[in-house]
Amino acid sequence: MRAAITSISHYVPPEILDNRFFESLLQTSDQWIRTRTGIVERRIARTGGTSDLILPAARQCLSNRGLSADDIDCIIVATVTPDYVFPSTASIVQAGLGATHAWGFDLSAACCGFIVALIVAARFVESGAAQTVLVCGADKMTSIVNYDDRASAVLFGDAAGVALVQRSDDETVGVLDHVAHMDGRHALELYMPAGGSMRPTSLDTVTNREHYLVQDGSTVFKAASKAMVDVTEEVLERNGLSVSDIRWFVPHQANKRIIDAVGERLGLEPERVMCNIDRYGNTSSATIPVCLSEWMEKGELHKGDNVVLSSFGAGFTSASVYLRWAVSANAPVEELEPVLSYADASD
């Protein structure tokens, strides 16, 4: 019995910040941003919290599968921008959906958040601890970006991607393996200085603007380029796969130069590498599920496709998941029933 992604959807706020916005704000140019990052535009949510990004994506995700909020057993929200320190954003999502039978929690793994949440959800389903898990990768990164910092302000946007993880009786599809690593020695190369128990919020931390993301860009760039290759090669080797066996490689959308470097080092043609950073920037936990959702919408993901996800984020964390896609794009619900079956609630 496998755990599989049976539905996926995404939401981005309607307001676009293109590179011209930053030309008027900072000493930068559209050409500089495109050359250094590959980003042309990104989305911004002026109001609301991360849960407001998740809810429309979650409703669409359930609708795609023909399910209601009552069918959800567990909600996992991967984010570094929760609505509140507590309660969990998962609880806000539960209330917003009316998923009264669900429990859940937030998970903090930075840009690796969706992959880590997917791993956890798969283990819940495989063990029988849950039948239907709503996995949400979402961040309102514009809320923690210093718009006076040219190096980081242009990189980030807001988005949410939501996946349903359920049981599949087809052993040939679903989440097949994962690799995850962490090197906390570099934790302060990419972090938010204040707001936690180490430096609680105070007049000084606010005055000193310590509640924004800070990173050593060069160090992060080099570490990400290497780590994403390493975890991908490791998961391929563990499963006796070569690069030619991969139909789709889905890297975290941090920087187009990182994406290109990782693809080239792995020997992957660009047309097999999902990339939408030009339109959304780095949306942290949301980048990978947004890619998957968009490719589903375009009809380019099919049942049986070998898919490898790879990410790198603060911590320094790195992770990769190997899965075989369980459903074809736009498949009617009735076509999924022979593939997927669920235990009765009384079992």
Side-chain angles (χ1 to χ4, degrees), residues 188-249:
L188 301 188
E189 306 286 355
L190 174 53
Y191 78 122
M192 185 188 296
S197 59
M198 185 68 74
R199 285 188 59 76
T201 304
S202 67
L203 178 60
D204 284 343
T205 64
V206 173
T207 300
N208 295 332
R209 312 193 78 182
E210 296 179 53
H211 295 267
Y212 294 124
L213 175 152
V214 173
Q215 68 172 335
D216 180 336
S218 177
T219 299
V220 172
F221 183 98
K222 293 174 184 176
S225 299
K226 181 179 186 301
M228 288 171 64
V229 171
D230 290 347
V231 290
T232 302
E233 289 181 336
E234 185 175 350
V235 82
L236 292 177
E237 183 178 351
R238 282 165 54 116
N239 291 276
L241 300 171
S242 67
V243 171
S244 62
D245 295 314
I246 301 175
R247 177 64 188 93
W248 291 110
F249 178 62

Side-chain angles (χ1 to χ4, degrees), residues 50-174:
T50 295
S51 65
D52 293 298
L53 301 173
I54 293 171
L55 286 168
R59 294 187 182 106
Q60 185 62 53
C61 190
L62 289 167
S63 176
N64 291 347
R65 183 70 181 95
L67 298 178
S68 73
D70 286 339
D71 295 305
I72 304 171
D73 299 311
C74 179
I75 299 169
I76 305 175
V77 174
T79 188
V80 293
T81 58
D83 286 18
Y84 307 100
V85 175
F86 62 87
S88 70
T89 301
S91 69
I92 307 300
V93 171
Q94 186 233 33
L97 292 176
T100 55
H101 302 305
W103 66 286
F105 55 92
D106 291 357
L107 184 154
S108 180
C111 297
C112 287
F114 178 79
I115 290 183
V116 175
L118 176 62
I119 294 167
V120 173
R123 294 298 176 260
F124 281 166
V125 170
E126 290 166 357
S127 70
Q131 297 176 39
T132 299
V133 183
L134 192 73
V135 179
C136 313
D139 274 297
K140 186 181 175 183
M141 293 302 293
T142 61
S143 67
I144 60 170
V145 170
N146 182 355
Y147 279 88
D148 290 331
D149 178 7
R150 183 181 73 161
S152 63
V154 302
L155 298 176
F156 297 97
D158 304 333
V162 176
L164 277 175
V165 177
Q166 297 179 291
R167 168 183 167 182
S168 170
D169 289 333
D170 184 346
E171 291 287 330
T172 67
V173 300

